[in-house]
Amino acid sequence: MSDQKKASLKKYNTFGIDVQAREILSATSVEDVQRIIKEKDPSELFIIGGGSNMLLTQDIDKYVVHINIKGYTVVDMPFGENELLLNVAGGENWHDFVCYCIDHGYGGVENLSLIPGNVGTAPIQNIGAYGVELKDVFYQCGAVSRKDGTLRTFSLEDCKFGYRDSVFKTELKDQYIITSVTFKLTLKDHKIKTEYGAISDTLAEQEITNPTIKEVSDAVIKIRQEKLPDPKKIGNSGSFFKNPVISQTVFSELRKNYPDIPYYPIGSDQIKVPAGWLIEQAGFKGKRFGDAGVHDKQALVLVNHGNATGSEIWALAVRIQDEVKEKFGIIISPEVNVF
Ligand code: EPU
């Protein structure tokens, strides 16, 4: 465990917002996490993983605990020869984990290539992309209680995963720190998923008909690099808003005025519409207000062109929300956590 007093959080959040923490504590083991919880008042702790899903609008006058636990352990092969359980420490970078799986021939996470953030924070919002969500490969996770430091195991059912949602965002919000995740991966008969339009188009362009997990991962990386900004070059937090879900009735009205609106039916009566499309139609794509902006290739992503403050980015987000509501009557909510 190493400490750093009164430190900038700029390199700990992918938006690159320069706010100060009272102190940064780096936890490199479960025991470190437990020790910090025993020593400090729980209300004085602020937990940070990959910092890829947060917008910091003010200084954090708390002890910022950076979860930096590393390591991979093959747990077992309890489900026959085709499946393996891999336990991954919460502080591992998500994309490094995906690459580890591709290199070792473990299937299941190739569609989730290049998602920013860490393994330990991925279950909180059930990260997803290109037809796959974390819940599809999740077996269980270990998490430390922020109240008393006890280590508990959460099964798939315990986590209550939904679209960008889990128990860690609802009834157990801010109550646990995920220290490791165990994934159920395939060894041979990989369930290749290429139905998502952009993946099949990319593979077809390359004349690949029977893709390997590496080829699917490469296709996803190509698609993401074309549309999404690299946080190392330009600060961002991936999708800033969630895609809103509306009723069939509201959607039918909307479609009369906007026949080209893209949509995904959910169940029998609900429709998910892309927030990126709504924001683009509201005229924000590629717009810039000082250093706060909307990405020019994907309107769902807000960006920090350099020295934007968190408040400036938040002001832009609120303006977008207001104008989307005004134009379409639809409320879009942030996917990122705003502090
Ligand atoms: N669209 C526009 N204009 C835009 C952006 C999108 O018209 O500026 C349209 C696209 O043409 C497309 C539709 O909206 O018809 C959907 O766009 P896309 O396929 O890019 O996906 P998305 O709904 O914008 C979601 C996830 C992404 C994930 C992709 C791919 C959410 C909030 N976001 O985005 O997740 O990578 O699908 O599966 O569900 C993230 O969470 O950080 C993230 C990038």
Side-chain angles (χ1 to χ4, degrees), residues 266-313:
I266 302 180
S268 56
D269 188 41
Q270 294 202 299
I271 309 281
K272 186 149 76 175
V273 293
W277 185 89
L278 300 170
I279 298 167
E280 178 171 351
Q281 297 297 311
F284 283 100
K285 194 171 187 171
K287 283 273 167 66
R288 183 173 171 164
F289 305 86
D291 271 354
V294 179
H295 189 50
D296 56 354
K297 299 196 187 77
Q298 163 58 289
L300 191 54
V301 179
L302 302 191
V303 292
N304 176 5
H305 284 287
N307 294 309
T309 63
S311 306
E312 283 165 346
I313 291 174

mmCIF file of all heavy atoms in Angstrom, residues 266-313:
data_model
loop_
_atom_site.group_PDB
_atom_site.id
_atom_site.type_symbol
_atom_site.label_atom_id
_atom_site.label_comp_id
_atom_site.label_asym_id
_atom_site.label_seq_id
_atom_site.Cartn_x
_atom_site.Cartn_y
_atom_site.Cartn_z
ATOM 1 N N ILE A 266 -37.643 -4.211 -27.409
ATOM 2 C CA ILE A 266 -37.316 -4.960 -26.192
ATOM 3 C C ILE A 266 -38.633 -5.544 -25.699
ATOM 4 O O ILE A 266 -39.540 -4.794 -25.369
ATOM 5 C CB ILE A 266 -36.770 -4.039 -25.082
ATOM 6 C CG1 ILE A 266 -35.544 -3.306 -25.582
ATOM 7 C CG2 ILE A 266 -36.441 -4.804 -23.825
ATOM 8 C CD1 ILE A 266 -34.969 -2.383 -24.537
ATOM 9 N N GLY A 267 -38.740 -6.847 -25.657
ATOM 10 C CA GLY A 267 -39.999 -7.473 -25.246
ATOM 11 C C GLY A 267 -41.093 -7.088 -26.232
ATOM 12 O O GLY A 267 -40.820 -6.782 -27.394
ATOM 13 N N SER A 268 -42.348 -7.070 -25.767
ATOM 14 C CA SER A 268 -43.450 -6.856 -26.714
ATOM 15 C C SER A 268 -43.859 -5.389 -26.820
ATOM 16 O O SER A 268 -44.394 -4.963 -27.827
ATOM 17 C CB SER A 268 -44.649 -7.706 -26.313
ATOM 18 O OG SER A 268 -44.991 -7.383 -24.989
ATOM 19 N N ASP A 269 -43.595 -4.593 -25.780
ATOM 20 C CA ASP A 269 -44.168 -3.245 -25.791
ATOM 21 C C ASP A 269 -43.147 -2.115 -25.635
ATOM 22 O O ASP A 269 -43.516 -0.957 -25.522
ATOM 23 C CB ASP A 269 -45.224 -3.154 -24.674
ATOM 24 C CG ASP A 269 -46.003 -1.844 -24.765
ATOM 25 O OD1 ASP A 269 -46.337 -1.442 -25.897
ATOM 26 O OD2 ASP A 269 -46.212 -1.208 -23.718
ATOM 27 N N GLN A 270 -41.868 -2.461 -25.603
ATOM 28 C CA GLN A 270 -40.903 -1.390 -25.370
ATOM 29 C C GLN A 270 -39.854 -1.318 -26.466
ATOM 30 O O GLN A 270 -39.511 -2.331 -27.085
ATOM 31 C CB GLN A 270 -40.233 -1.597 -24.017
ATOM 32 C CG GLN A 270 -41.226 -1.437 -22.882
ATOM 33 C CD GLN A 270 -40.519 -1.111 -21.595
ATOM 34 O OE1 GLN A 270 -39.707 -1.893 -21.128
ATOM 35 N NE2 GLN A 270 -40.822 0.030 -21.019
ATOM 36 N N ILE A 271 -39.354 -0.114 -26.680
ATOM 37 C CA ILE A 271 -38.397 0.112 -27.757
ATOM 38 C C ILE A 271 -37.217 0.905 -27.202
ATOM 39 O O ILE A 271 -37.410 1.917 -26.521
ATOM 40 C CB ILE A 271 -39.038 0.972 -28.895
ATOM 41 C CG1 ILE A 271 -40.391 0.397 -29.356
ATOM 42 C CG2 ILE A 271 -38.072 1.160 -30.054
ATOM 43 C CD1 ILE A 271 -40.338 -0.760 -30.287
ATOM 44 N N LYS A 272 -36.018 0.425 -27.501
ATOM 45 C CA LYS A 272 -34.820 1.191 -27.125
ATOM 46 C C LYS A 272 -34.398 2.000 -28.342
ATOM 47 O O LYS A 272 -34.311 1.460 -29.445
ATOM 48 C CB LYS A 272 -33.724 0.214 -26.698
ATOM 49 C CG LYS A 272 -32.505 0.896 -26.150
ATOM 50 C CD LYS A 272 -31.786 0.072 -25.091
ATOM 51 C CE LYS A 272 -30.984 -1.066 -25.669
ATOM 52 N NZ LYS A 272 -30.219 -1.775 -24.638
ATOM 53 N N VAL A 273 -34.193 3.307 -28.153
ATOM 54 C CA VAL A 273 -33.720 4.131 -29.273
ATOM 55 C C VAL A 273 -32.324 4.668 -28.949
ATOM 56 O O VAL A 273 -32.019 4.947 -27.787
ATOM 57 C CB VAL A 273 -34.703 5.290 -29.615
ATOM 58 C CG1 VAL A 273 -36.008 4.756 -30.161
ATOM 59 C CG2 VAL A 273 -34.961 6.188 -28.433
ATOM 60 N N PRO A 274 -31.452 4.797 -29.941
ATOM 61 C CA PRO A 274 -30.082 5.231 -29.653
ATOM 62 C C PRO A 274 -30.010 6.718 -29.275
ATOM 63 O O PRO A 274 -30.395 7.583 -30.069
ATOM 64 C CB PRO A 274 -29.326 4.985 -30.951
ATOM 65 C CG PRO A 274 -30.253 4.283 -31.870
ATOM 66 C CD PRO A 274 -31.638 4.495 -31.374
ATOM 67 N N ALA A 275 -29.506 6.965 -28.075
ATOM 68 C CA ALA A 275 -29.335 8.353 -27.628
ATOM 69 C C ALA A 275 -28.424 9.108 -28.593
ATOM 70 O O ALA A 275 -28.624 10.302 -28.843
ATOM 71 C CB ALA A 275 -28.756 8.373 -26.211
ATOM 72 N N GLY A 276 -27.428 8.395 -29.165
ATOM 73 C CA GLY A 276 -26.491 9.040 -30.100
ATOM 74 C C GLY A 276 -27.228 9.639 -31.299
ATOM 75 O O GLY A 276 -26.906 10.733 -31.761
ATOM 76 N N TRP A 277 -28.239 8.928 -31.773
ATOM 77 C CA TRP A 277 -29.032 9.410 -32.915
ATOM 78 C C TRP A 277 -29.834 10.648 -32.504
ATOM 79 O O TRP A 277 -29.873 11.649 -33.227
ATOM 80 C CB TRP A 277 -29.962 8.286 -33.407
ATOM 81 C CG TRP A 277 -30.735 8.627 -34.636
ATOM 82 C CD1 TRP A 277 -30.356 8.448 -35.929
ATOM 83 C CD2 TRP A 277 -32.039 9.230 -34.682
ATOM 84 N NE1 TRP A 277 -31.339 8.901 -36.774
ATOM 85 C CE2 TRP A 277 -32.389 9.388 -36.039
ATOM 86 C CE3 TRP A 277 -32.954 9.652 -33.709
ATOM 87 C CZ2 TRP A 277 -33.607 9.935 -36.450
ATOM 88 C CZ3 TRP A 277 -34.163 10.209 -34.106
ATOM 89 C CH2 TRP A 277 -34.479 10.344 -35.468
ATOM 90 N N LEU A 278 -30.460 10.590 -31.326
ATOM 91 C CA LEU A 278 -31.263 11.729 -30.836
ATOM 92 C C LEU A 278 -30.378 12.968 -30.693
ATOM 93 O O LEU A 278 -30.758 14.074 -31.084
ATOM 94 C CB LEU A 278 -31.902 11.404 -29.478
ATOM 95 C CG LEU A 278 -32.868 10.204 -29.420
ATOM 96 C CD1 LEU A 278 -33.213 9.868 -27.970
ATOM 97 C CD2 LEU A 278 -34.147 10.508 -30.203
ATOM 98 N N ILE A 279 -29.166 12.768 -30.149
ATOM 99 C CA ILE A 279 -28.253 13.892 -29.908
ATOM 100 C C ILE A 279 -27.765 14.470 -31.242
ATOM 101 O O ILE A 279 -27.688 15.687 -31.419
ATOM 102 C CB ILE A 279 -27.065 13.443 -29.014
ATOM 103 C CG1 ILE A 279 -27.579 12.984 -27.646
ATOM 104 C CG2 ILE A 279 -26.032 14.563 -28.849
ATOM 105 C CD1 ILE A 279 -26.554 12.229 -26.807
ATOM 106 N N GLU A 280 -27.503 13.574 -32.182
ATOM 107 C CA GLU A 280 -27.083 14.044 -33.511
ATOM 108 C C GLU A 280 -28.205 14.868 -34.164
ATOM 109 O O GLU A 280 -27.972 15.960 -34.689
ATOM 110 C CB GLU A 280 -26.709 12.854 -34.408
ATOM 111 C CG GLU A 280 -26.321 13.323 -35.798
ATOM 112 C CD GLU A 280 -25.719 12.228 -36.680
ATOM 113 O OE1 GLU A 280 -25.428 11.127 -36.199
ATOM 114 O OE2 GLU A 280 -25.542 12.507 -37.876
ATOM 115 N N GLN A 281 -29.443 14.353 -34.084
ATOM 116 C CA GLN A 281 -30.580 15.072 -34.671
ATOM 117 C C GLN A 281 -30.788 16.427 -34.003
ATOM 118 O O GLN A 281 -31.271 17.367 -34.621
ATOM 119 C CB GLN A 281 -31.870 14.249 -34.539
ATOM 120 C CG GLN A 281 -31.848 12.933 -35.293
ATOM 121 C CD GLN A 281 -31.711 13.115 -36.786
ATOM 122 O OE1 GLN A 281 -32.427 13.908 -37.379
ATOM 123 N NE2 GLN A 281 -30.777 12.419 -37.387
ATOM 124 N N ALA A 282 -30.438 16.505 -32.712
ATOM 125 C CA ALA A 282 -30.585 17.775 -31.982
ATOM 126 C C ALA A 282 -29.449 18.745 -32.336
ATOM 127 O O ALA A 282 -29.383 19.855 -31.800
ATOM 128 C CB ALA A 282 -30.646 17.516 -30.481
ATOM 129 N N GLY A 283 -28.552 18.309 -33.209
ATOM 130 C CA GLY A 283 -27.542 19.211 -33.761
ATOM 131 C C GLY A 283 -26.231 19.304 -32.985
ATOM 132 O O GLY A 283 -25.433 20.211 -33.225
ATOM 133 N N PHE A 284 -25.983 18.351 -32.082
ATOM 134 C CA PHE A 284 -24.788 18.480 -31.240
ATOM 135 C C PHE A 284 -23.549 17.732 -31.744
ATOM 136 O O PHE A 284 -22.462 17.931 -31.216
ATOM 137 C CB PHE A 284 -25.087 17.976 -29.820
ATOM 138 C CG PHE A 284 -25.883 18.950 -28.995
ATOM 139 C CD1 PHE A 284 -27.241 18.794 -28.817
ATOM 140 C CD2 PHE A 284 -25.255 20.037 -28.403
ATOM 141 C CE1 PHE A 284 -27.967 19.694 -28.056
ATOM 142 C CE2 PHE A 284 -25.968 20.943 -27.646
ATOM 143 C CZ PHE A 284 -27.333 20.775 -27.468
ATOM 144 N N LYS A 285 -23.705 16.865 -32.706
ATOM 145 C CA LYS A 285 -22.563 16.021 -33.110
ATOM 146 C C LYS A 285 -21.390 16.899 -33.549
ATOM 147 O O LYS A 285 -21.547 17.776 -34.404
ATOM 148 C CB LYS A 285 -22.990 15.095 -34.242
ATOM 149 C CG LYS A 285 -22.006 13.970 -34.503
ATOM 150 C CD LYS A 285 -22.611 12.975 -35.479
ATOM 151 C CE LYS A 285 -21.745 11.754 -35.636
ATOM 152 N NZ LYS A 285 -22.434 10.719 -36.412
ATOM 153 N N GLY A 286 -20.215 16.674 -32.970
ATOM 154 C CA GLY A 286 -19.010 17.417 -33.350
ATOM 155 C C GLY A 286 -18.951 18.840 -32.803
ATOM 156 O O GLY A 286 -17.975 19.546 -33.062
ATOM 157 N N LYS A 287 -19.967 19.252 -32.048
ATOM 158 C CA LYS A 287 -19.981 20.628 -31.521
ATOM 159 C C LYS A 287 -18.985 20.764 -30.373
ATOM 160 O O LYS A 287 -18.711 19.814 -29.650
ATOM 161 C CB LYS A 287 -21.388 21.001 -31.025
ATOM 162 C CG LYS A 287 -22.360 21.329 -32.146
ATOM 163 C CD LYS A 287 -22.259 22.809 -32.515
ATOM 164 C CE LYS A 287 -22.964 23.135 -33.826
ATOM 165 N NZ LYS A 287 -24.406 22.953 -33.768
ATOM 166 N N ARG A 288 -18.491 21.994 -30.205
ATOM 167 C CA ARG A 288 -17.498 22.237 -29.161
ATOM 168 C C ARG A 288 -17.815 23.544 -28.458
ATOM 169 O O ARG A 288 -18.134 24.543 -29.111
ATOM 170 C CB ARG A 288 -16.130 22.306 -29.840
ATOM 171 C CG ARG A 288 -14.997 22.470 -28.885
ATOM 172 C CD ARG A 288 -13.669 22.357 -29.606
ATOM 173 N NE ARG A 288 -12.625 22.732 -28.673
ATOM 174 C CZ ARG A 288 -11.358 22.484 -28.823
ATOM 175 N NH1 ARG A 288 -10.935 21.869 -29.900
ATOM 176 N NH2 ARG A 288 -10.476 22.860 -27.913
ATOM 177 N N PHE A 289 -17.810 23.521 -27.136
ATOM 178 C CA PHE A 289 -18.051 24.726 -26.336
ATOM 179 C C PHE A 289 -16.837 24.866 -25.424
ATOM 180 O O PHE A 289 -16.725 24.146 -24.431
ATOM 181 C CB PHE A 289 -19.344 24.585 -25.519
ATOM 182 C CG PHE A 289 -20.543 24.259 -26.379
ATOM 183 C CD1 PHE A 289 -20.841 22.939 -26.717
ATOM 184 C CD2 PHE A 289 -21.347 25.265 -26.882
ATOM 185 C CE1 PHE A 289 -21.925 22.631 -27.529
ATOM 186 C CE2 PHE A 289 -22.437 24.971 -27.691
ATOM 187 C CZ PHE A 289 -22.722 23.653 -28.022
ATOM 188 N N GLY A 290 -15.891 25.711 -25.804
ATOM 189 C CA GLY A 290 -14.615 25.733 -25.088
ATOM 190 C C GLY A 290 -13.947 24.384 -25.287
ATOM 191 O O GLY A 290 -13.886 23.872 -26.419
ATOM 192 N N ASP A 291 -13.495 23.773 -24.208
ATOM 193 C CA ASP A 291 -12.849 22.466 -24.326
ATOM 194 C C ASP A 291 -13.816 21.295 -24.107
ATOM 195 O O ASP A 291 -13.417 20.134 -24.161
ATOM 196 C CB ASP A 291 -11.664 22.365 -23.347
ATOM 197 C CG ASP A 291 -10.367 22.877 -23.990
ATOM 198 O OD1 ASP A 291 -10.397 23.196 -25.205
ATOM 199 O OD2 ASP A 291 -9.347 22.959 -23.281
ATOM 200 N N ALA A 292 -15.075 21.604 -23.834
ATOM 201 C CA ALA A 292 -16.072 20.534 -23.671
ATOM 202 C C ALA A 292 -16.747 20.313 -25.021
ATOM 203 O O ALA A 292 -17.130 21.278 -25.686
ATOM 204 C CB ALA A 292 -17.108 20.931 -22.626
ATOM 205 N N GLY A 293 -16.858 19.064 -25.441
ATOM 206 C CA GLY A 293 -17.428 18.846 -26.767
ATOM 207 C C GLY A 293 -18.160 17.522 -26.912
ATOM 208 O O GLY A 293 -18.193 16.690 -25.995
ATOM 209 N N VAL A 294 -18.745 17.357 -28.098
ATOM 210 C CA VAL A 294 -19.428 16.121 -28.472
ATOM 211 C C VAL A 294 -18.584 15.503 -29.590
ATOM 212 O O VAL A 294 -18.234 16.198 -30.558
ATOM 213 C CB VAL A 294 -20.865 16.423 -28.973
ATOM 214 C CG1 VAL A 294 -21.568 15.132 -29.377
ATOM 215 C CG2 VAL A 294 -21.659 17.161 -27.900
ATOM 216 N N HIS A 295 -18.265 14.227 -29.462
ATOM 217 C CA HIS A 295 -17.374 13.583 -30.432
ATOM 218 C C HIS A 295 -17.954 13.674 -31.848
ATOM 219 O O HIS A 295 -19.158 13.546 -32.036
ATOM 220 C CB HIS A 295 -17.161 12.126 -30.019
ATOM 221 C CG HIS A 295 -16.099 11.423 -30.802
ATOM 222 N ND1 HIS A 295 -14.849 11.953 -30.998
ATOM 223 C CD2 HIS A 295 -16.097 10.221 -31.436
ATOM 224 C CE1 HIS A 295 -14.138 11.119 -31.718
ATOM 225 N NE2 HIS A 295 -14.867 10.066 -31.997
ATOM 226 N N ASP A 296 -17.085 13.898 -32.825
ATOM 227 C CA ASP A 296 -17.599 14.112 -34.191
ATOM 228 C C ASP A 296 -18.016 12.827 -34.897
ATOM 229 O O ASP A 296 -18.716 12.862 -35.901
ATOM 230 C CB ASP A 296 -16.572 14.900 -35.034
ATOM 231 C CG ASP A 296 -15.215 14.226 -35.082
ATOM 232 O OD1 ASP A 296 -15.019 13.201 -34.370
ATOM 233 O OD2 ASP A 296 -14.333 14.691 -35.818
ATOM 234 N N LYS A 297 -17.597 11.647 -34.364
ATOM 235 C CA LYS A 297 -17.972 10.406 -35.050
ATOM 236 C C LYS A 297 -19.033 9.606 -34.292
ATOM 237 O O LYS A 297 -19.540 8.611 -34.809
ATOM 238 C CB LYS A 297 -16.732 9.537 -35.248
ATOM 239 C CG LYS A 297 -15.671 10.216 -36.102
ATOM 240 C CD LYS A 297 -14.656 9.208 -36.596
ATOM 241 C CE LYS A 297 -13.508 9.882 -37.303
ATOM 242 N NZ LYS A 297 -12.547 10.501 -36.344
ATOM 243 N N GLN A 298 -19.329 9.992 -33.048
ATOM 244 C CA GLN A 298 -20.329 9.270 -32.242
ATOM 245 C C GLN A 298 -20.853 10.258 -31.206
ATOM 246 O O GLN A 298 -20.169 10.590 -30.236
ATOM 247 C CB GLN A 298 -19.661 8.034 -31.612
ATOM 248 C CG GLN A 298 -20.346 7.365 -30.444
ATOM 249 C CD GLN A 298 -21.752 6.877 -30.712
ATOM 250 O OE1 GLN A 298 -22.670 7.693 -30.852
ATOM 251 N NE2 GLN A 298 -21.935 5.568 -30.764
ATOM 252 N N ALA A 299 -22.092 10.721 -31.438
ATOM 253 C CA ALA A 299 -22.639 11.814 -30.613
ATOM 254 C C ALA A 299 -22.949 11.397 -29.177
ATOM 255 O O ALA A 299 -23.239 12.239 -28.329
ATOM 256 C CB ALA A 299 -23.887 12.371 -31.279
ATOM 257 N N LEU A 300 -22.874 10.110 -28.890
ATOM 258 C CA LEU A 300 -23.148 9.618 -27.533
ATOM 259 C C LEU A 300 -21.971 9.881 -26.591
ATOM 260 O O LEU A 300 -22.083 9.748 -25.383
ATOM 261 C CB LEU A 300 -23.426 8.107 -27.634
ATOM 262 C CG LEU A 300 -23.976 7.345 -26.465
ATOM 263 C CD1 LEU A 300 -25.253 7.994 -25.947
ATOM 264 C CD2 LEU A 300 -24.265 5.905 -26.868
ATOM 265 N N VAL A 301 -20.833 10.256 -27.173
ATOM 266 C CA VAL A 301 -19.610 10.402 -26.401
ATOM 267 C C VAL A 301 -19.267 11.885 -26.214
ATOM 268 O O VAL A 301 -19.087 12.608 -27.195
ATOM 269 C CB VAL A 301 -18.439 9.675 -27.115
ATOM 270 C CG1 VAL A 301 -17.135 9.830 -26.339
ATOM 271 C CG2 VAL A 301 -18.761 8.203 -27.304
ATOM 272 N N LEU A 302 -19.196 12.320 -24.955
ATOM 273 C CA LEU A 302 -18.741 13.686 -24.675
ATOM 274 C C LEU A 302 -17.229 13.647 -24.481
ATOM 275 O O LEU A 302 -16.692 12.655 -23.987
ATOM 276 C CB LEU A 302 -19.419 14.243 -23.416
ATOM 277 C CG LEU A 302 -20.954 14.285 -23.443
ATOM 278 C CD1 LEU A 302 -21.484 15.094 -22.258
ATOM 279 C CD2 LEU A 302 -21.467 14.877 -24.741
ATOM 280 N N VAL A 303 -16.555 14.716 -24.898
ATOM 281 C CA VAL A 303 -15.091 14.703 -24.846
ATOM 282 C C VAL A 303 -14.528 15.954 -24.175
ATOM 283 O O VAL A 303 -15.155 17.016 -24.178
ATOM 284 C CB VAL A 303 -14.468 14.564 -26.268
ATOM 285 C CG1 VAL A 303 -14.743 13.189 -26.850
ATOM 286 C CG2 VAL A 303 -14.969 15.636 -27.218
ATOM 287 N N ASN A 304 -13.338 15.780 -23.613
ATOM 288 C CA ASN A 304 -12.577 16.886 -23.048
ATOM 289 C C ASN A 304 -11.432 17.184 -24.020
ATOM 290 O O ASN A 304 -10.485 16.406 -24.128
ATOM 291 C CB ASN A 304 -12.026 16.469 -21.676
ATOM 292 C CG ASN A 304 -11.131 17.529 -21.061
ATOM 293 O OD1 ASN A 304 -10.972 18.629 -21.605
ATOM 294 N ND2 ASN A 304 -10.540 17.193 -19.912
ATOM 295 N N HIS A 305 -11.558 18.311 -24.745
ATOM 296 C CA HIS A 305 -10.543 18.620 -25.765
ATOM 297 C C HIS A 305 -9.225 19.076 -25.136
ATOM 298 O O HIS A 305 -8.281 19.352 -25.871
ATOM 299 C CB HIS A 305 -11.065 19.695 -26.717
ATOM 300 C CG HIS A 305 -12.064 19.162 -27.706
ATOM 301 N ND1 HIS A 305 -11.716 18.360 -28.767
ATOM 302 C CD2 HIS A 305 -13.411 19.308 -27.790
ATOM 303 C CE1 HIS A 305 -12.797 18.033 -29.461
ATOM 304 N NE2 HIS A 305 -13.838 18.593 -28.887
ATOM 305 N N GLY A 306 -9.141 19.189 -23.845
ATOM 306 C CA GLY A 306 -7.877 19.610 -23.221
ATOM 307 C C GLY A 306 -8.075 19.935 -21.758
ATOM 308 O O GLY A 306 -7.854 19.101 -20.892
ATOM 309 N N ASN A 307 -8.538 21.157 -21.520
ATOM 310 C CA ASN A 307 -8.611 21.596 -20.127
ATOM 311 C C ASN A 307 -10.031 21.908 -19.662
ATOM 312 O O ASN A 307 -10.233 22.793 -18.837
ATOM 313 C CB ASN A 307 -7.723 22.830 -19.930
ATOM 314 C CG ASN A 307 -6.255 22.468 -20.126
ATOM 315 O OD1 ASN A 307 -5.766 21.503 -19.524
ATOM 316 N ND2 ASN A 307 -5.570 23.200 -20.981
ATOM 317 N N ALA A 308 -11.009 21.175 -20.165
ATOM 318 C CA ALA A 308 -12.384 21.397 -19.699
ATOM 319 C C ALA A 308 -12.473 21.004 -18.229
ATOM 320 O O ALA A 308 -11.807 20.060 -17.795
ATOM 321 C CB ALA A 308 -13.361 20.559 -20.515
ATOM 322 N N THR A 309 -13.304 21.714 -17.480
ATOM 323 C CA THR A 309 -13.567 21.285 -16.105
ATOM 324 C C THR A 309 -14.742 20.308 -16.153
ATOM 325 O O THR A 309 -15.496 20.272 -17.135
ATOM 326 C CB THR A 309 -13.957 22.476 -15.208
ATOM 327 O OG1 THR A 309 -15.183 23.031 -15.706
ATOM 328 C CG2 THR A 309 -12.874 23.535 -15.177
ATOM 329 N N GLY A 310 -14.891 19.557 -15.067
ATOM 330 C CA GLY A 310 -16.025 18.635 -14.988
ATOM 331 C C GLY A 310 -17.338 19.396 -15.075
ATOM 332 O O GLY A 310 -18.306 18.924 -15.681
ATOM 333 N N SER A 311 -17.379 20.593 -14.476
ATOM 334 C CA SER A 311 -18.629 21.375 -14.496
ATOM 335 C C SER A 311 -18.972 21.816 -15.908
ATOM 336 O O SER A 311 -20.146 21.868 -16.281
ATOM 337 C CB SER A 311 -18.513 22.620 -13.624
ATOM 338 O OG SER A 311 -18.105 22.249 -12.351
ATOM 339 N N GLU A 312 -17.952 22.123 -16.710
ATOM 340 C CA GLU A 312 -18.221 22.529 -18.098
ATOM 341 C C GLU A 312 -18.808 21.357 -18.898
ATOM 342 O O GLU A 312 -19.738 21.529 -19.692
ATOM 343 C CB GLU A 312 -16.940 23.040 -18.773
ATOM 344 C CG GLU A 312 -16.583 24.450 -18.317
ATOM 345 C CD GLU A 312 -15.143 24.881 -18.650
ATOM 346 O OE1 GLU A 312 -14.301 24.026 -19.013
ATOM 347 O OE2 GLU A 312 -14.865 26.066 -18.531
ATOM 348 N N ILE A 313 -18.254 20.163 -18.658
ATOM 349 C CA ILE A 313 -18.784 18.991 -19.373
ATOM 350 C C ILE A 313 -20.204 18.683 -18.889
ATOM 351 O O ILE A 313 -21.095 18.380 -19.680
ATOM 352 C CB ILE A 313 -17.829 17.791 -19.221
ATOM 353 C CG1 ILE A 313 -16.557 18.102 -20.020
ATOM 354 C CG2 ILE A 313 -18.483 16.492 -19.717
ATOM 355 C CD1 ILE A 313 -15.454 17.123 -19.900
#
